[in-house]
Amino acid sequence: HDQKGSNISYLQLSWSISTLLYIPVGYMIQYVNWFLPFMIFGIILIIYCFIINFGYKFDSDQYNALNEAISDVQSNISSISIAANISDLKSVFNRKIILILLSIFFCGIASGSFLITTTSFWMEDVYLLSTSELGWYTLSIFMAEMLGSLIMSLISDKYGIFVCSFIAFGIKIIDSLIIFNLSILFGPTIGGLWLAVILNFFLFVGWEMFFITQILAMIEYGPINVSKNIILLSNFAVASIAKMIGTEFSAWLWLNGSGLEFLSCIWLCTNIAGAACYAILYKIKDDPVGYVPIPGPTNSQKQPINSNANTQQPIVSTVVNVDGGGGHDVDK
């Protein structure tokens, strides 16, 4: 737990390294066909699914102990009502988590917008880069994401979520403001290709730092360990939806370069909105979170099946501890 920030930052490096694939993709699209990369990566993913299925397995003792412990929980998901499920979701998605998800939604719109703009419209329409040249341009994105991940690996555990979020939002807001002003003064060229590359570089540094901070915040303010998967998947789902929205808006507003002012204004405003969510989160970070009790299974007379069970504890308060010897205990 003491090193979770640096560990997550190092894991994010795999995403950064994958950016290098844009270089061969650029050549494939320019000299072969646009659908060739989809076919190649689709085949690779299908093969990799079989490798994961047959090449990896859980430790059987710990896996069986965990399953047995979960099956002993009185408030099992298969035996509770729809109303109880809704109450469970309310307890998992407390107001702190909602604020964090709102932040990734706003920033995801900005990310989807500047990703498609800076790696496609802008470079091709204004600076007339070919598809293969655009692939080489993405080296700056690779270096930006690497830098963002390495910075977070050094500072996230030492300074915490809110200092890191302040730095990430500061980079993105200042960068968006500069692009907005330069687009007003010079138009979509903003003063030259190299200036655009540098500004885009810092946009991606800020995004990478923010995204790692976002994951840490979801882990920190999620109710308990057994709820982390739901919360983290929600984070990725909201980010993906927001990116699609940002991408669509960018396609409509680009207008052959004349819409850069509008797009950079969107980046600026959405990042400010995301920062506001973290400001509110900081204000309420020490407030207790009330959980809604989840009722246990009942008989036909709507009486608890096990009257000795403590049904006042929410399902999300169950923590499973698996010891090294294969035994287990359940703390409620």
Side-chain angles (χ1 to χ4, degrees):
H1 292 287
D2 293 337
Q3 300 295 323
K4 63 175 178 284
S6 59
N7 291 335
I8 291 174
S9 300
Y10 289 134
L11 286 173
Q12 283 295 115
L13 289 174
S14 62
W15 292 92
S16 305
I17 295 172
S18 68
T19 309
L20 294 174
L21 294 173
Y22 288 144
I23 298 174
V25 165
Y27 282 99
M28 280 187 265
I29 293 174
Q30 182 171 348
Y31 296 107
V32 185
N33 207 309
W34 65 268
F35 58 76
L36 181 61
F38 293 94
M39 293 179 59
I40 292 175
F41 293 126
I43 293 171
I44 292 174
L45 288 174
I46 291 172
I47 295 173
Y48 193 59
C49 287
F50 286 100
I51 293 174
I52 292 176
N53 185 54
F54 295 106
Y56 295 89
K57 59 182 178 181
F58 294 102
D59 183 281
S60 57
D61 292 335
Q62 291 188 357
Y63 185 69
N64 291 334
L66 180 61
N67 277 337
E68 184 180 349
I70 292 175
S71 66
D72 290 338
V73 179
Q74 187 262 342
S75 297
N76 192 277
I77 192 69
S78 62
S79 62
I80 60 179
S81 64
I82 295 176
N85 281 321
I86 295 174
S87 297
D88 188 23
L89 289 176
K90 288 181 180 179
S91 64
V92 171
F93 294 100
N94 55 66
R95 56 180 177 170
K96 296 177 182 178
I97 295 300
I98 294 298
L99 280 170
I100 298 170
L101 289 176
L102 278 174
S103 182
I104 192 66
F105 178 77
F106 290 128
C107 294
I109 291 175
S111 173
S113 177
F114 71 67
L115 179 62
I116 191 67
T117 302
T118 60
T119 60
S120 180
F121 308 144
W122 200 0
M123 297 297 118
E124 291 179 306
D125 293 348
V126 176
Y127 300 110
L128 305 178
L129 296 186
S130 66
T131 308
S132 57
E133 290 172 334
L134 195 57
W136 286 104
Y137 154 77
T138 58
L139 277 176
S140 64
I141 299 176
F142 162 73
M143 291 185 287
E145 293 182 343
M146 289 284 290
L147 179 61
S149 295
L150 291 174
I151 291 174
M152 286 298 295
S153 71
L154 296 174
I155 68 173
S156 56
D157 294 314
K158 183 176 181 180
Y159 295 104
I161 293 169
F162 294 103
V163 171
C164 294
S165 65
F166 174 80
I167 296 172
F169 280 118
I171 293 172
K172 293 194 294 177
I173 290 172
I174 293 172
D175 199 287
S176 300
L177 183 61
I178 293 173
I179 295 175
F180 176 66
N181 288 315
L182 290 177
S183 65
I184 294 174
L185 293 174
F186 300 103
T189 63
I190 70 165
L193 174 60
W194 285 107
L195 183 57
V197 171
I198 292 171
L199 290 172
N200 294 341
F201 175 87
F202 283 103
L203 271 179
F204 282 96
V205 170
W207 166 255
E208 187 72 7
M209 293 180 65
F210 163 74
F211 194 77
I212 294 172
T213 303
Q214 179 78 6
I215 296 174
L216 294 174
M218 296 295 280
I219 295 172
E220 178 71 20
Y221 293 106
I224 56 154
N225 291 336
V226 295
S227 301
K228 303 305 183 188
N229 287 341
I230 298 174
I231 293 171
L232 290 174
L233 287 173
S234 300
N235 180 63
F236 284 102
V238 172
S240 298
I241 293 171
K243 285 183 177 182
M244 287 189 285
I245 294 173
T247 301
E248 289 296 326
F249 272 106
S250 298
W252 295 338
L253 296 175
W254 174 242
L255 303 175
N256 293 322
S258 60
L260 183 59
E261 296 176 23
F262 299 107
L263 294 177
S264 57
C265 183
I266 290 174
W267 307 342
L268 178 63
C269 293
T270 50
N271 280 308
I272 290 175
C277 292
Y278 267 78
I280 298 172
L281 178 64
Y282 179 77
K283 186 177 180 180
I284 67 170
K285 63 183 176 66
D286 296 322
D287 292 354
V289 177
Y291 294 103
V292 181
I294 304 301
T298 57
N299 57 23
S300 59
Q301 286 77 36
K302 296 186 177 181
Q303 296 175 338
I305 293 175
N306 183 1
S307 59
N308 294 325
N310 183 5
T311 59
Q312 296 304 311
Q313 293 287 345
I315 187 173
V316 294
S317 65
T318 302
V319 178
V320 178
N321 296 320
V322 181
D323 59 29
H328 67 274
D329 53 44
V330 178
D331 298 330
K332 296 185 179 178

Coordinates of all heavy atoms in Angstrom, one line a residue, residues 204-270:
F204 N -0.4 16.1 -23.0 CA -0.4 14.6 -22.7 C 0.4 14.3 -21.4 O 0.0 13.3 -20.7 CB 0.3 13.9 -23.9 CG -0.7 13.7 -25.0 CD1 -0.6 14.6 -26.1 CD2 -1.6 12.7 -25.1 CE1 -1.5 14.4 -27.2 CE2 -2.5 12.5 -26.1 CZ -2.4 13.4 -27.2
V205 N 1.3 15.1 -21.0 CA 2.0 15.0 -19.7 C 0.9 15.2 -18.6 O 0.8 14.4 -17.7 CB 3.1 15.9 -19.5 CG1 3.6 15.9 -18.1 CG2 4.3 15.6 -20.4
G206 N 0.1 16.3 -18.7 CA -0.9 16.5 -17.8 C -2.0 15.5 -17.7 O -2.4 15.1 -16.6
W207 N -2.4 15.0 -18.9 CA -3.4 13.9 -18.9 C -2.9 12.7 -18.2 O -3.6 12.0 -17.5 CB -3.8 13.6 -20.3 CG -4.6 12.4 -20.4 CD1 -4.2 11.2 -20.9 CD2 -6.0 12.1 -20.0 NE1 -5.2 10.2 -20.8 CE2 -6.3 10.8 -20.2 CE3 -6.9 13.0 -19.4 CZ2 -7.5 10.2 -19.9 CZ3 -8.2 12.4 -19.1 CH2 -8.5 11.1 -19.4
E208 N -1.7 12.3 -18.5 CA -1.1 11.0 -17.9 C -1.0 11.1 -16.4 O -1.4 10.2 -15.7 CB 0.3 10.7 -18.5 CG 0.8 9.4 -18.1 CD 0.1 8.2 -18.7 OE1 -0.7 8.4 -19.6 OE2 0.5 7.1 -18.3
M209 N -0.6 12.3 -15.9 CA -0.5 12.5 -14.5 C -1.9 12.5 -13.9 O -2.1 11.9 -12.8 CB 0.2 13.8 -14.2 CG 1.7 13.8 -14.6 SD 2.5 15.4 -14.2 CE 2.4 15.4 -12.4
F210 N -2.8 13.1 -14.5 CA -4.2 13.1 -14.0 C -4.8 11.7 -14.0 O -5.4 11.3 -13.0 CB -5.1 14.0 -14.8 CG -6.6 13.8 -14.6 CD1 -7.2 14.3 -13.4 CD2 -7.3 13.1 -15.5 CE1 -8.5 14.0 -13.2 CE2 -8.7 12.9 -15.3 CZ -9.3 13.3 -14.1
F211 N -4.6 10.9 -15.0 CA -5.2 9.6 -15.1 C -4.7 8.7 -14.0 O -5.5 8.0 -13.4 CB -5.0 9.0 -16.4 CG -5.9 7.8 -16.7 CD1 -7.2 8.0 -17.0 CD2 -5.4 6.5 -16.6 CE1 -8.1 7.0 -17.3 CE2 -6.3 5.5 -16.8 CZ -7.6 5.7 -17.2
I212 N -3.4 8.8 -13.7 CA -2.9 8.0 -12.6 C -3.4 8.5 -11.3 O -3.8 7.7 -10.4 CB -1.3 8.1 -12.6 CG1 -0.8 7.4 -13.9 CG2 -0.7 7.4 -11.4 CD1 0.7 7.6 -14.1
T213 N -3.5 9.8 -11.1 CA -4.1 10.3 -9.9 C -5.5 9.9 -9.7 O -6.0 9.6 -8.6 CB -4.0 11.9 -9.9 OG1 -2.7 12.3 -10.1 CG2 -4.6 12.5 -8.6
Q214 N -6.3 9.8 -10.8 CA -7.6 9.4 -10.8 C -7.8 8.0 -10.3 O -8.7 7.7 -9.5 CB -8.2 9.5 -12.2 CG -9.6 9.1 -12.4 CD -10.6 10.2 -11.9 OE1 -10.2 11.3 -11.5 NE2 -11.9 9.8 -11.9
I215 N -6.9 7.1 -10.8 CA -7.0 5.7 -10.3 C -6.7 5.6 -8.8 O -7.4 4.9 -8.0 CB -6.0 4.8 -11.1 CG1 -6.4 4.8 -12.6 CG2 -5.9 3.4 -10.5 CD1 -5.4 4.1 -13.4
L216 N -5.7 6.4 -8.4 CA -5.4 6.4 -6.9 C -6.5 7.0 -6.1 O -6.8 6.5 -5.0 CB -4.1 7.3 -6.7 CG -2.8 6.7 -7.3 CD1 -1.7 7.7 -7.1 CD2 -2.4 5.4 -6.7
A217 N -7.2 8.0 -6.6 CA -8.3 8.5 -5.9 C -9.5 7.5 -5.8 O -10.1 7.4 -4.7 CB -8.8 9.8 -6.6
M218 N -9.7 6.8 -6.8 CA -10.8 5.8 -6.8 C -10.5 4.7 -5.8 O -11.4 4.2 -5.1 CB -11.0 5.1 -8.2 CG -11.4 6.1 -9.3 SD -13.1 6.8 -9.0 CE -14.1 5.4 -9.6
I219 N -9.2 4.3 -5.7 CA -8.8 3.3 -4.7 C -8.9 3.9 -3.3 O -9.4 3.2 -2.4 CB -7.4 2.8 -5.0 CG1 -7.3 2.1 -6.3 CG2 -6.9 1.9 -3.9 CD1 -5.9 1.7 -6.8
E220 N -8.5 5.1 -3.1 CA -8.5 5.7 -1.8 C -9.9 5.9 -1.2 O -10.1 5.7 0.0 CB -7.7 7.1 -1.9 CG -7.7 7.9 -0.6 CD -6.7 7.3 0.4 OE1 -5.8 6.5 0.0 OE2 -6.9 7.6 1.6
Y221 N -10.8 6.4 -2.1 CA -12.1 6.8 -1.6 C -13.2 5.8 -1.9 O -14.4 6.0 -1.6 CB -12.5 8.1 -2.1 CG -11.6 9.2 -1.5 CD1 -10.6 9.8 -2.3 CD2 -11.7 9.6 -0.2 CE1 -9.8 10.8 -1.8 CE2 -10.9 10.6 0.3 CZ -9.9 11.2 -0.5 OH -9.1 12.1 0.0
G222 N -12.8 4.6 -2.5 CA -13.8 3.5 -2.6 C -14.1 3.0 -1.3 O -13.2 3.0 -0.4
P223 N -15.3 2.4 -1.0 CA -15.7 2.0 0.3 C -14.8 0.9 0.9 O -14.2 1.2 2.0 CB -17.1 1.4 0.0 CG -17.6 2.1 -1.2 CD -16.4 2.3 -2.0
I224 N -14.5 -0.2 0.2 CA -13.7 -1.2 0.8 C -13.0 -2.0 -0.3 O -13.4 -1.8 -1.5 CB -14.5 -2.2 1.7 CG1 -15.6 -2.8 0.9 CG2 -15.0 -1.6 2.9 CD1 -16.1 -4.1 1.4
N225 N -12.2 -2.9 0.0 CA -11.5 -3.7 -1.0 C -12.3 -4.4 -2.0 O -12.0 -4.5 -3.2 CB -10.5 -4.6 -0.3 CG -9.4 -3.9 0.4 OD1 -9.1 -2.8 0.1 ND2 -8.8 -4.5 1.4
V226 N -13.4 -5.1 -1.5 CA -14.2 -5.9 -2.4 C -15.0 -5.1 -3.4 O -15.6 -5.6 -4.3 CB -15.2 -6.8 -1.6 CG1 -14.5 -7.8 -0.7 CG2 -16.2 -5.9 -0.8
S227 N -15.0 -3.7 -3.2 CA -15.8 -2.9 -4.2 C -14.9 -2.2 -5.2 O -15.3 -1.5 -6.1 CB -16.5 -1.8 -3.4 OG -17.4 -2.4 -2.5
K228 N -13.6 -2.4 -5.1 CA -12.6 -1.7 -6.0 C -12.8 -2.1 -7.4 O -12.7 -1.2 -8.3 CB -11.2 -2.0 -5.6 CG -10.8 -1.7 -4.1 CD -11.2 -0.2 -3.8 CE -10.7 0.1 -2.3 NZ -11.2 1.4 -1.9
N229 N -13.1 -3.3 -7.7 CA -13.3 -3.7 -9.2 C -14.4 -2.9 -9.8 O -14.3 -2.4 -10.9 CB -13.5 -5.2 -9.3 CG -12.2 -6.0 -9.0 OD1 -11.1 -5.4 -9.1 ND2 -12.4 -7.3 -8.7
I230 N -15.5 -2.8 -9.1 CA -16.7 -2.1 -9.6 C -16.3 -0.7 -9.9 O -16.7 -0.1 -10.9 CB -17.9 -2.2 -8.6 CG1 -18.3 -3.7 -8.5 CG2 -19.1 -1.4 -9.1 CD1 -19.4 -3.9 -7.4
I231 N -15.7 -0.1 -8.9 CA -15.3 1.4 -9.0 C -14.3 1.6 -10.1 O -14.5 2.6 -10.9 CB -14.8 1.9 -7.6 CG1 -15.9 1.8 -6.6 CG2 -14.3 3.3 -7.7 CD1 -15.5 2.1 -5.2
L232 N -13.3 0.8 -10.2 CA -12.3 1.0 -11.2 C -12.8 0.8 -12.6 O -12.5 1.5 -13.5 CB -11.1 0.1 -11.0 CG -10.2 0.5 -9.7 CD1 -9.2 -0.6 -9.5 CD2 -9.6 1.8 -9.9
L233 N -13.7 -0.2 -12.8 CA -14.3 -0.4 -14.1 C -15.2 0.7 -14.4 O -15.3 1.1 -15.6 CB -15.1 -1.7 -14.0 CG -14.3 -3.0 -14.1 CD1 -15.2 -4.3 -13.9 CD2 -13.6 -3.2 -15.4
S234 N -15.9 1.3 -13.4 CA -16.8 2.5 -13.7 C -15.9 3.6 -14.1 O -16.3 4.4 -15.0 CB -17.5 2.8 -12.4 OG -18.3 1.8 -12.0
N235 N -14.7 3.8 -13.5 CA -13.8 4.9 -13.9 C -13.5 4.7 -15.4 O -13.5 5.7 -16.2 CB -12.6 4.8 -13.1 CG -11.6 5.9 -13.4 OD1 -11.9 7.1 -13.3 ND2 -10.4 5.5 -13.9
F236 N -13.1 3.5 -15.8 CA -12.7 3.3 -17.3 C -13.9 3.5 -18.2 O -13.8 4.0 -19.3 CB -12.1 2.0 -17.4 CG -10.7 1.9 -17.0 CD1 -10.4 1.3 -15.7 CD2 -9.6 2.4 -17.7 CE1 -9.1 1.2 -15.3 CE2 -8.3 2.3 -17.3 CZ -8.0 1.7 -16.0
A237 N -15.1 3.0 -17.7 CA -16.3 3.2 -18.5 C -16.7 4.6 -18.8 O -17.0 5.0 -19.9 CB -17.5 2.4 -17.9
V238 N -16.7 5.4 -17.7 CA -17.0 6.8 -17.8 C -16.0 7.6 -18.7 O -16.3 8.4 -19.5 CB -17.1 7.5 -16.4 CG1 -17.2 9.0 -16.5 CG2 -18.3 6.9 -15.6
A239 N -14.7 7.2 -18.5 CA -13.7 7.9 -19.3 C -13.9 7.5 -20.8 O -13.7 8.4 -21.6 CB -12.3 7.4 -18.8
S240 N -14.2 6.3 -21.1 CA -14.4 5.9 -22.5 C -15.6 6.6 -23.1 O -15.5 7.1 -24.2 CB -14.6 4.4 -22.6 OG -13.5 3.7 -22.1
I241 N -16.7 6.7 -22.4 CA -17.9 7.4 -22.9 C -17.6 8.9 -23.1 O -17.9 9.5 -24.1 CB -19.1 7.3 -21.9 CG1 -19.5 5.8 -21.8 CG2 -20.2 8.2 -22.3 CD1 -20.5 5.5 -20.7
A242 N -16.9 9.5 -22.1 CA -16.5 10.9 -22.3 C -15.6 11.2 -23.5 O -15.7 12.1 -24.2 CB -15.9 11.4 -21.0
K243 N -14.6 10.3 -23.7 CA -13.7 10.4 -24.8 C -14.5 10.3 -26.2 O -14.2 11.1 -27.1 CB -12.6 9.3 -24.8 CG -11.6 9.6 -23.7 CD -10.5 8.5 -23.8 CE -9.4 8.8 -22.8 NZ -8.3 7.8 -22.9
M244 N -15.5 9.4 -26.2 CA -16.3 9.3 -27.5 C -17.0 10.6 -27.7 O -17.1 11.1 -28.8 CB -17.2 8.2 -27.4 CG -16.6 6.8 -27.5 SD -17.7 5.4 -27.6 CE -18.3 5.3 -26.0
I245 N -17.6 11.2 -26.6 CA -18.3 12.5 -26.8 C -17.3 13.6 -27.3 O -17.6 14.4 -28.2 CB -18.9 12.9 -25.4 CG1 -20.0 11.9 -25.0 CG2 -19.5 14.3 -25.5 CD1 -20.6 12.1 -23.6
G246 N -16.1 13.7 -26.6 CA -15.1 14.7 -27.0 C -14.7 14.5 -28.5 O -14.5 15.5 -29.2
T247 N -14.6 13.2 -28.9 CA -14.1 13.0 -30.3 C -15.2 13.4 -31.3 O -14.9 14.0 -32.3 CB -13.9 11.4 -30.5 OG1 -12.8 11.0 -29.6 CG2 -13.4 11.1 -31.9
E248 N -16.5 13.1 -31.0 CA -17.5 13.5 -31.9 C -17.7 15.0 -32.0 O -17.8 15.6 -33.1 CB -18.9 12.9 -31.4 CG -19.0 11.4 -31.6 CD -19.0 11.0 -33.1 OE1 -19.5 11.8 -33.9 OE2 -18.4 9.9 -33.4
F249 N -17.6 15.7 -30.9 CA -17.7 17.2 -30.9 C -16.5 17.8 -31.7 O -16.7 18.8 -32.3 CB -17.7 17.7 -29.4 CG -19.1 17.8 -28.9 CD1 -19.5 16.9 -27.9 CD2 -20.0 18.8 -29.3 CE1 -20.8 17.0 -27.4 CE2 -21.2 18.9 -28.8 CZ -21.7 18.0 -27.8
S250 N -15.3 17.2 -31.5 CA -14.2 17.7 -32.3 C -14.4 17.6 -33.8 O -14.0 18.5 -34.5 CB -12.9 16.9 -31.9 OG -12.7 17.1 -30.5
A251 N -14.9 16.5 -34.2 CA -15.2 16.3 -35.6 C -16.2 17.3 -36.2 O -16.0 17.8 -37.3 CB -15.7 14.9 -35.9
W252 N -17.2 17.7 -35.4 CA -18.1 18.7 -35.8 C -17.6 20.1 -35.7 O -17.9 21.0 -36.6 CB -19.4 18.6 -34.9 CG -20.1 17.4 -35.0 CD1 -20.1 16.5 -36.0 CD2 -21.0 16.8 -34.0 NE1 -20.9 15.4 -35.8 CE2 -21.5 15.6 -34.5 CE3 -21.5 17.2 -32.7 CZ2 -22.4 14.8 -33.8 CZ3 -22.3 16.4 -32.0 CH2 -22.8 15.2 -32.6
L253 N -16.7 20.4 -34.7 CA -16.3 21.8 -34.5 C -15.0 22.1 -35.2 O -14.6 23.3 -35.1 CB -16.2 22.0 -33.0 CG -17.5 22.0 -32.2 CD1 -17.2 22.1 -30.7 CD2 -18.5 23.0 -32.7
W254 N -14.3 21.2 -35.7 CA -13.0 21.5 -36.3 C -13.0 22.5 -37.4 O -12.3 23.4 -37.5 CB -12.3 20.2 -36.8 CG -11.0 20.4 -37.5 CD1 -10.7 20.1 -38.8 CD2 -9.8 21.0 -36.9 NE1 -9.4 20.4 -39.1 CE2 -8.8 21.0 -37.9 CE3 -9.5 21.5 -35.7 CZ2 -7.6 21.5 -37.8 CZ3 -8.2 22.0 -35.5 CH2 -7.3 22.0 -36.5
L255 N -13.9 22.3 -38.4 CA -14.2 23.2 -39.5 C -12.9 23.6 -40.2 O -12.6 24.8 -40.4 CB -14.9 24.5 -38.9 CG -16.2 24.3 -38.1 CD1 -16.7 25.6 -37.6 CD2 -17.2 23.6 -39.1
N256 N -12.1 22.6 -40.6 CA -10.9 22.8 -41.3 C -9.9 23.8 -40.6 O -9.1 24.5 -41.3 CB -11.2 23.3 -42.7 CG -11.9 22.3 -43.6 OD1 -11.6 21.1 -43.5 ND2 -12.9 22.8 -44.3
G257 N -9.9 23.7 -39.3 CA -8.9 24.5 -38.5 C -9.5 25.8 -37.9 O -9.0 26.2 -36.9
S258 N -10.6 26.3 -38.4 CA -11.2 27.5 -37.9 C -11.9 27.3 -36.5 O -12.2 28.2 -35.8 CB -12.2 28.1 -38.8 OG -13.2 27.2 -39.1
G259 N -12.1 26.0 -36.2 CA -12.7 25.7 -34.9 C -11.8 25.4 -33.8 O -12.2 25.0 -32.7
L260 N -10.5 25.6 -34.0 CA -9.5 25.4 -33.0 C -9.8 26.2 -31.7 O -9.5 25.8 -30.6 CB -8.1 25.6 -33.5 CG -6.9 25.3 -32.5 CD1 -7.0 23.8 -32.0 CD2 -5.6 25.6 -33.1
E261 N -10.2 27.4 -31.9 CA -10.5 28.3 -30.8 C -11.6 27.7 -29.9 O -11.5 27.6 -28.7 CB -11.0 29.7 -31.3 CG -10.0 30.5 -32.0 CD -10.6 31.8 -32.6 OE1 -11.6 32.2 -32.0 OE2 -10.0 32.3 -33.5
F262 N -12.7 27.1 -30.5 CA -13.8 26.5 -29.8 C -13.3 25.2 -29.1 O -13.6 25.0 -27.9 CB -14.9 26.1 -30.7 CG -15.5 27.3 -31.4 CD1 -15.3 27.5 -32.8 CD2 -16.3 28.2 -30.7 CE1 -15.8 28.6 -33.4 CE2 -16.9 29.3 -31.4 CZ -16.6 29.5 -32.7
L263 N -12.4 24.4 -29.8 CA -12.0 23.2 -29.2 C -11.0 23.5 -28.0 O -11.2 22.9 -26.9 CB -11.2 22.4 -30.2 CG -12.1 21.8 -31.3 CD1 -11.3 21.1 -32.4 CD2 -13.2 20.9 -30.8
S264 N -10.1 24.4 -28.1 CA -9.2 24.7 -27.0 C -10.0 25.3 -25.9 O -9.6 25.2 -24.7 CB -8.1 25.7 -27.5 OG -8.6 26.9 -28.0
C265 N -11.1 26.1 -26.2 CA -11.9 26.6 -25.1 C -12.6 25.5 -24.3 O -12.7 25.5 -23.1 CB -13.0 27.6 -25.7 SG -14.0 28.3 -24.5
I266 N -13.0 24.4 -25.1 CA -13.6 23.2 -24.4 C -12.6 22.6 -23.6 O -12.9 22.2 -22.4 CB -14.2 22.3 -25.5 CG1 -15.4 22.9 -26.2 CG2 -14.5 20.9 -24.9 CD1 -15.9 22.0 -27.4
W267 N -11.4 22.4 -24.0 CA -10.3 21.8 -23.2 C -10.1 22.6 -21.9 O -10.0 22.0 -20.8 CB -9.0 21.7 -24.0 CG -9.1 21.1 -25.3 CD1 -10.1 20.2 -25.8 CD2 -8.2 21.2 -26.4 NE1 -9.8 19.8 -27.1 CE2 -8.7 20.4 -27.5 CE3 -7.0 21.9 -26.6 CZ2 -8.0 20.3 -28.7 CZ3 -6.3 21.8 -27.8 CH2 -6.8 21.0 -28.8
L268 N -10.1 23.9 -22.1 CA -9.9 24.8 -20.9 C -11.0 24.6 -19.9 O -10.8 24.4 -18.7 CB -9.8 26.2 -21.4 CG -9.6 27.3 -20.3 CD1 -8.3 27.0 -19.5 CD2 -9.6 28.7 -20.9
C269 N -12.3 24.7 -20.4 CA -13.4 24.7 -19.5 C -13.6 23.4 -18.8 O -14.0 23.3 -17.6 CB -14.7 25.1 -20.3 SG -14.7 26.8 -20.8
T270 N -13.5 22.3 -19.6 CA -13.7 20.9 -19.0 C -12.6 20.6 -18.0 O -12.9 20.0 -16.9 CB -13.7 19.9 -20.1 OG1 -12.6 20.0 -21.0 CG2 -15.0 20.0 -20.9

